[in-house]
Amino acid sequence: MLTICDTVKQRVSHFKIGVLTYEQIVVGPSPNMLKGKLRQFQELLYFDMEQTPLAEWPEVKEWRSVFKQVGTDPSRYRPSSESLLRRVQKQNFIPSIHSAADINNFFSLYYKLPIGIYDRDQLTGDIIVTIGTQADEYVGINDRTTNFERKLVTKDAQGPFGSPIVDSKRTMVTEQTTHAVQVIYFLPSFTETQCGQMLQAMKEMFIQVHGGSAHTQLII
C-alpha cells in the first residue's frame, strides 16, 4: 500500500506516483537487446542535448520546479533523471548493471523521470511518499549518506529508503531479487491517461525480460 502525504499534496498540486509491483521475476545480466537499446538511446540523447540545452528541456524544468516547491535546492540536489541526463551529456554513458537496473535507467532516460526500483522482500509495511525531516537519512546506492530534510522521500515501517534523488542500499534490487516494486515519480502536468500508458509500457517491457507477473497502480 502506497500513499502520498498531505503535505506533499498541499505543496505540489496534481502530484502523482506510479507503482509497479512485480512477482516471481528473474533478474540477471541484461540481454544484448536491452544493452543495445540503453546504449543507443543514450547516444541519441547526447545529440539532442547538443541541439537544446538540458536546462531548457520541459521535463527538467518541471522537476526542478517540484523540488523548489517542497523546499529542495535543485542545483544542489538534482532529480535522479537529470543526474542521468547530465552523465550522458558528458558522454559518461551509463553502463549495464543488471536487467532490472538497466530497464529502470532506460525508462528514466526515455521519459526523463525519476524512477526507483526496490527489492520488496527488504520492505516492511506500508509505503508513504512525504517530505523528509532531519532524522531521515540513509546510505545510497552511490555509497554516500544523504539527509532528506526538506526533500521528497519514500519511507516504509523501517524508515526512508527511496527518493527522486538517490535510492538506498538497504532496498536495492540485486540478481537475487524475485519480488520488486518500481516507483515512478510522474510530472504533475501529466494526465492520468498519459501515466497509465507509461505504466503499461514499462510493465510490458519488464515482464518480457524478467518473466513473472505485474500489477500497476496510479496514486494521486
Side-chain angles (χ1 to χ4, degrees), residues 32-162:
N32 287 333
M33 170 278 293
L34 177 55
K35 284 185 191 172
K37 208 170 177 138
L38 182 62
R39 174 74 191 202
Q40 189 179 25
F41 191 65
Q42 290 181 80
E43 288 169 359
L44 287 172
L45 283 171
Y46 173 75
F47 290 116
D48 286 347
M49 283 185 257
E50 289 203 311
Q51 307 300 317
T52 310
L54 198 53
E56 290 176 23
W57 288 23
E59 300 90 346
V60 171
K61 285 164 86 167
E62 189 171 346
W63 254 110
R64 285 176 152 250
S65 164
V66 170
F67 270 32
K68 284 177 185 167
Q69 287 167 60
V70 299
T72 311
D73 176 357
S75 299
R76 188 165 175 215
Y77 295 96
R78 302 189 195 285
S80 57
S81 45
E82 186 183 335
S83 297
L84 288 177
L85 288 164
R86 282 174 174 272
R87 282 185 61 176
V88 173
Q89 190 177 34
K90 293 173 184 164
Q91 286 187 297
N92 179 18
F93 292 161
I94 294 115
S96 176
I97 299 164
H98 54 60
S99 52
D102 290 359
I103 286 185
N104 204 70
N105 285 334
F106 172 76
F107 277 116
S108 186
L109 289 167
Y110 188 78
Y111 292 125
K112 301 161 191 71
L113 297 175
I115 304 175
I117 189 160
Y118 313 102
D119 187 322
R120 216 174 86 223
D121 293 330
Q122 306 305 319
L123 293 169
T124 312
D126 291 338
I127 299 169
I128 187 163
V129 177
T130 186
I131 298 170
T133 67
Q134 203 172 359
D136 293 322
E137 64 177 38
Y138 55 69
V139 177
I141 52 175
N142 58 5
D143 287 320
R144 292 202 291 268
T145 300
T146 302
N147 184 280
F148 289 92
E149 184 177 15
R150 295 196 299 277
K151 300 176 191 75
L152 285 166
V153 70
T154 308
K155 302 165 82 165
D156 69 352
Q158 294 182 61
F161 67 88

